[in-house]
Amino acid sequence: MQRYTYSELDSEGREIRLMTLLPRADLEEIHVTLRNVTLDPTSPPSYEALSYTWGSTQDTVPICISTVIGDESALAESKDRSEKHNEISNQQFVPTYNVLEVTRNLAVALEHLRYDREPRVLWIDAICINQQDMQERSAQVQRMGDIYQSARQTTVWLGPEEDDSCLAIETLDDLASRITVDWSTLTRLAIGENENDVALTDLDKDIPFDQQQLTSVIRLLERPWFERLWIRQEVQLAKSAVVVCGFKFLHWDRFRSVCFRLALGGYLEELLVEKIYGSCLYDSREEQSSYDSLFYNLWMTKRCKCSDQRDRIYALTNISSLPRIHSPEEQQIFKPDYGKDVCSVFQEFVLREIEWSRMLHTLLFCDLEEALPNAPSRVPNLPASIPHYNMTNLGAAGLTVTQAIHQGNGILEVSGAFISTIGDVIPVNSPEAGWLNSSYGDKCKEMRRLALLILPNTESNMYPSGVSLLEAFCRTIYCNSFAELSHPMTPGDTLFQDAFDELSIILNESGDNSTRSDVKTYLTDQMLRSRNFFTTSEGYIGLAPSAARSGDQVSVLLGCRAPIVLRPRSDSYFVVVGQCYIHGFGDGEALLGPLPAGWSRVDRGRKGNSYMDHATGILRLTDPRLGDLPHGWRMFSYSSDDHPPRFVNMFTRQSTYEDPRQTPEALRARGVDLRTILLK
């Protein structure tokens, strides 16, 4: 019995392979056929794409690849299933066949997915790509966006029936028949007018699950498929998708809506919510900003798994885009090349991302404690170095872009301003069981210990920015990510006053039994994991990576949303320690000075920043610290446009996201001490 030998694909002819899974009738073993076809997205052949978990490559099962006499291509593309069965019944199998080893997980999926009397045409990466041919693998991975977009349906295989999975699918299907989600507004809607159905949209009311139903659903969502990195593009690009578990199925749109309701309703543990949000709820086509979608995709998939670390980048390229000011031929953001090692792929990704976006967002994923071996400190070690918390709401560098220059030998030249030097570092001592598994009371005790160490370290009760020390401490714990500083406010996000009141109760040793779950989560989990507090001689306080130490410098770099901790070296270069929060420098103060009294910056997500005049309650796009635009420049922003405002020079037609009032030359004219900084 010979091993199967792949025929070559015509890459210039845009060929892929399709697999026909032959029917169960008269074939006890799994039999498939493979054929090369041209994939033209404008008129694709009819096939399904499979999304599944590979499983262990050490546990494999042989399947048979048979040769069919006759026009198997016409057979596979036939729309009439009865015609397919009649035709395949008249074919003859050549007595000899080849064998291909597949993982046991895939073999189980094929056994469940094959029909009794009809062939089924599928695209499955482990079979349709020659995994031993690195050149073919690179070329086919580059085409996977087209492959999943062109499939008539994507079939999500969660695994065989077990752990009451039938009950789980039935429970989810019943709930999905009663509620749905408007994803453009994240609004939960009742499908009917029944009073009980309407009540299901109310987060304050319980879903009528019994314990067995809830347990079965949680076990279903804990399956390995939800941890896979590649599933993001597999389901996001699908025309239609269906979730299959055993012999039960549920349409993807219904499945996703129900998961959203469960996640918001507090029925799932935090880590499980993060996992299914990355796989089910988050769709980059709905939420991404075109100028940094790859950055957000990396953030959203930080908990996902892949067997090849190069796929941290490659798995996201087909669902990430470049700024629309780039030409169409540049839209392939990163071409897969499995001939390069992980370090080379990550370094090239950083340089290309900076070149295309003109931003330094990749620095937000750097952490010296999790540094990539043999790579510059400015290159993140994905996903280990991606922080637990999200500081993308900050606007430390205003509407600036980077003019970074790669000098070679791992050196990147950037521009920025130094804020302060770290003085004391106050470690956050995780309770013995760890933050996630410790009691709220233990976390409150640690919060009180930190407050005693941090708050007395200044000479007065006032913070340098003019607020109270306690307010600065509270805003630092949250990295100032409060609901009122976003527009529109996200339902469920915490208001500053609620957090401040809760923190005051905790510090007064009376909050250990608090029931405010939203405040608990942020005060004790989100921001403090893997972080340390620090103070400066000027009286500032902040949160920095655990690798930060006394003498490190806090900087604001042009094109980077959050302040970055840098460590000076004896040779004039700087090592990237990681992103930080230092209260009083999250809204562009290092470059433009403090906002006028009565004003605050409001994060509009994909649309960039606005500024709230609290005296009038009016939001405006223009920063009140800036004057008129230079002669010939205009700003364009549209209410229907999910992008930050663009600045256009009416004489040269130059279009940019950089505010011409915040160029390096303009900032220096304002008196900003911009430095040239060499990162290594």
Side-chain angles (χ1 to χ4, degrees):
M1 191 181 301
Q2 295 183 340
R3 292 186 179 276
Y4 179 73
T5 301
Y6 284 91
S7 60
E8 288 189 8
L9 292 172
D10 182 359
S11 58
E12 293 184 2
R14 308 182 72 184
E15 280 192 340
I16 66 169
R17 295 186 188 91
L18 290 180
M19 183 203 81
T20 300
L21 179 59
L22 301 182
R24 191 175 284 108
D26 303 324
L27 292 172
E28 183 176 341
E29 296 177 312
I30 296 172
H31 279 68
V32 304
T33 64
L34 279 180
R35 61 192 173 97
N36 297 4
V37 301
T38 298
L39 180 61
D40 180 356
T42 62
S43 57
S46 179
Y47 65 95
E48 298 173 65
L50 186 66
S51 176
Y52 69 107
T53 303
W54 269 44
S56 173
T57 55
Q58 304 303 312
D59 183 13
T60 60
V61 175
I63 62 170
C64 302
I65 300 186
S66 303
T67 302
V68 178
I69 300 174
D71 187 4
E72 195 259 340
S73 175
L75 167 67
E77 293 184 358
S78 171
K79 306 291 187 187
D80 189 328
R81 285 187 170 179
S82 61
E83 178 187 339
K84 282 184 181 181
H85 175 60
N86 291 336
E87 289 193 34
I88 201 167
S89 299
N90 295 327
Q91 305 297 322
Q92 294 181 343
F93 289 99
V94 175
T96 59
Y97 52 81
N98 297 326
V99 169
L100 182 69
E101 295 285 335
V102 300
T103 63
R104 188 172 299 277
N105 276 17
L106 179 52
V108 171
L110 294 174
E111 182 58 45
H112 281 76
L113 294 173
R114 68 172 173 167
Y115 296 132
D116 287 336
R117 302 180 61 81
E118 301 166 355
R120 189 169 187 175
V121 182
L122 296 155
W123 185 90
I124 302 175
D125 57 354
I127 296 176
C128 296
I129 298 176
N130 182 358
Q131 299 294 327
Q132 305 307 313
D133 185 336
M134 291 298 104
Q135 185 174 354
E136 177 183 306
R137 184 178 164 194
S138 299
Q140 289 291 290
V141 167
Q142 189 175 336
R143 296 217 62 200
M144 283 176 68
D146 286 339
I147 291 170
Y148 278 93
Q149 281 181 313
S150 300
R152 65 177 180 81
Q153 174 179 281
T154 293
T155 298
V156 174
W157 170 251
L158 296 184
E161 178 186 341
E162 59 186 13
D163 295 329
D164 275 341
S165 59
C166 288
L167 175 63
I169 295 292
E170 291 168 358
T171 300
L172 294 173
D173 194 27
D174 176 66
L175 184 57
S177 68
R178 303 163 69 185
I179 62 171
T180 187
V181 173
D182 179 351
W183 292 103
S184 64
T185 60
L186 299 181
T187 304
R188 302 166 302 282
L189 304 171
I191 291 177
E193 297 181 0
N194 181 288
E195 182 178 337
N196 293 331
D197 292 352
V198 174
L200 290 173
T201 65
D202 188 343
L203 296 181
D204 293 328
K205 296 184 179 179
D206 291 334
I207 298 174
F209 284 166
D210 61 35
Q211 189 57 48
Q212 184 181 6
Q213 288 175 310
L214 182 57
T215 300
S216 70
V217 168
I218 290 174
R219 286 177 176 170
L220 185 73
L221 297 178
E222 289 174 340
R223 294 200 176 202
W225 181 85
F226 293 95
E227 298 177 341
R228 286 187 60 237
L229 179 62
W230 282 100
I231 64 177
R232 240 62 58 200
Q233 77 162 3
E234 293 167 2
V235 295
Q236 287 183 24
L237 297 179
K239 294 176 182 175
S240 172
V242 61
V243 178
V244 180
C245 185
F247 293 102
K248 291 280 187 180
F249 69 91
L250 180 63
H251 287 288
W252 176 257
D253 291 341
R254 293 161 65 86
F255 183 83
R256 185 182 176 217
S257 294
V258 174
C259 286
F260 182 70
R261 174 63 178 89
L262 294 175
L264 288 183
Y267 292 91
L268 310 175
E269 293 292 332
E270 178 191 349
L271 289 180
L272 185 56
V273 170
E274 285 192 30
K275 185 167 66 175
I276 67 167
Y277 192 87
S279 60
C280 300
L281 308 185
Y282 172 70
D283 189 331
S284 63
R285 296 169 302 177
E286 297 166 343
E287 300 188 28
Q288 73 183 14
S289 171
S290 67
Y291 71 97
D292 58 10
S293 62
L294 180 56
F295 170 78
Y296 273 113
N297 279 326
L298 285 166
W299 163 260
M300 294 308 305
T301 58
K302 64 182 182 295
R303 293 198 179 277
C304 298
K305 297 178 180 179
C306 58
S307 58
D308 189 326
Q309 286 303 97
R310 291 169 291 192
D311 289 337
R312 283 287 155 195
I313 307 299
Y314 297 157
L316 302 175
T317 57
N318 286 309
I319 52 173
S320 303
S321 59
L322 291 171
R324 57 185 180 176
I325 58 176
H326 285 73
S327 59
E329 58 268 20
E330 293 179 301
Q331 289 299 310
Q332 176 63 45
I333 195 162
F334 204 75
K335 293 183 179 180
D337 183 351
Y338 288 96
K340 297 179 179 178
D341 60 30
V342 173
C343 188
S344 298
V345 170
F346 284 9
Q347 289 193 64
E348 184 179 350
F349 151 68
V350 168
L351 293 177
R352 298 291 290 277
E353 171 69 7
I354 292 172
E355 174 191 350
W356 281 322
S357 69
R358 299 188 67 197
M359 307 297 282
L360 293 175
H361 294 335
T362 52
L363 293 182
L364 303 182
F365 289 161
C366 293
D367 187 333
L368 189 58
E369 197 165 69
E370 299 286 354
L372 184 66
N374 304 315
S377 63
R378 58 175 175 76
V379 177
N381 182 13
L382 305 172
S385 61
I386 299 179
H388 298 290
Y389 39 85
N390 186 351
M391 291 197 199
T392 57
N393 64 309
L394 297 182
L399 291 179
T400 62
V401 299
T402 185
Q403 297 179 355
I405 300 173
H406 182 225
Q407 295 188 350
N409 298 320
I411 300 169
L412 188 72
E413 178 185 315
V414 299
S415 297
F418 289 108
I419 297 174
S420 189
T421 300
I422 292 179
D424 294 329
V425 175
I426 301 96
V428 177
N429 296 330
S430 175
E432 186 175 345
W435 276 112
L436 290 179
N437 299 317
S438 298
S439 70
Y440 184 53
D442 286 342
K443 295 169 184 175
C444 289
K445 291 177 183 176
E446 174 62 10
M447 194 71 66
R448 288 191 284 269
R449 184 191 72 85
L450 291 168
L452 288 173
L453 291 172
I454 295 168
L455 299 186
N457 283 350
T458 56
E459 297 180 357
S460 71
N461 289 325
M462 296 302 293
Y463 192 70
S465 66
V467 301
S468 72
L469 278 174
L470 187 57
E471 176 177 336
F473 184 51
C474 183
R475 292 190 183 276
T476 299
I477 294 170
Y478 271 77
C479 296
N480 213 26
S481 57
F482 294 107
E484 62 266 38
L485 297 180
S486 296
H487 182 78
M489 288 195 296
T490 303
D493 280 1
T494 303
L495 295 166
F496 166 73
Q497 193 60 52
D498 290 339
F500 185 80
D501 292 344
E502 184 72 9
L503 179 61
S504 300
I505 293 172
I506 291 172
L507 298 185
N508 288 327
E509 303 191 26
S510 57
D512 295 9
N513 298 314
S514 170
T515 59
R516 290 194 58 87
S517 60
D518 59 333
V519 177
K520 280 184 188 179
T521 299
Y522 278 88
L523 282 180
T524 62
D525 288 338
Q526 297 286 66
M527 301 302 182
L528 300 186
R529 278 185 279 164
S530 304
R531 307 294 280 175
N532 287 333
F533 282 94
F534 68 86
T535 60
T536 74
S537 59
E538 297 90 350
Y540 293 107
I541 60 176
L543 276 175
S546 55
R549 66 191 187 197
S550 179
D552 288 346
Q553 297 188 27
V554 182
S555 66
V556 168
L557 305 179
L558 301 190
C560 189
R561 294 178 177 178
I564 300 294
V565 177
L566 300 176
R567 181 164 299 161
R569 297 179 13 153
S570 58
D571 54 5
S572 304
Y573 299 115
F574 288 85
V575 171
V576 176
V577 178
Q579 64 164 301
C580 75
Y581 178 85
I582 178 169
H583 187 62
F585 291 97
D587 298 327
E589 293 91 338
L591 305 179
L592 303 176
L595 283 163
W599 286 83
S600 63
R601 184 185 61 86
V602 177
D603 179 40
R604 297 188 305 149
R606 291 170 286 181
K607 295 185 177 183
N609 296 324
S610 289
Y611 296 86
M612 171 69 76
D613 181 352
H614 293 281
T616 62
I618 296 176
L619 274 176
R620 53 182 281 186
L621 290 176
T622 303
D623 191 321
R625 293 168 292 189
L626 296 172
D628 295 334
L629 285 167
H631 181 62
W633 284 91
R634 291 186 61 186
M635 180 173 66
F636 291 87
S637 179
Y638 305 97
S639 59
S640 60
D641 191 1
D642 281 341
H643 303 277
R646 285 183 299 151
F647 298 89
V648 177
N649 187 311
M650 305 308 292
F651 299 120
T652 66
R653 310 310 297 175
Q654 176 188 356
S655 178
T656 178
Y657 289 115
E658 179 185 35
D659 189 328
R661 295 165 294 186
Q662 298 182 56
T663 62
E665 296 76 18
L667 292 173
R668 288 191 176 98
R670 293 176 64 97
V672 179
D673 184 17
L674 282 184
R675 307 281 187 90
T676 296
I677 301 171
L678 301 179
L679 305 180
K680 193 169 185 178

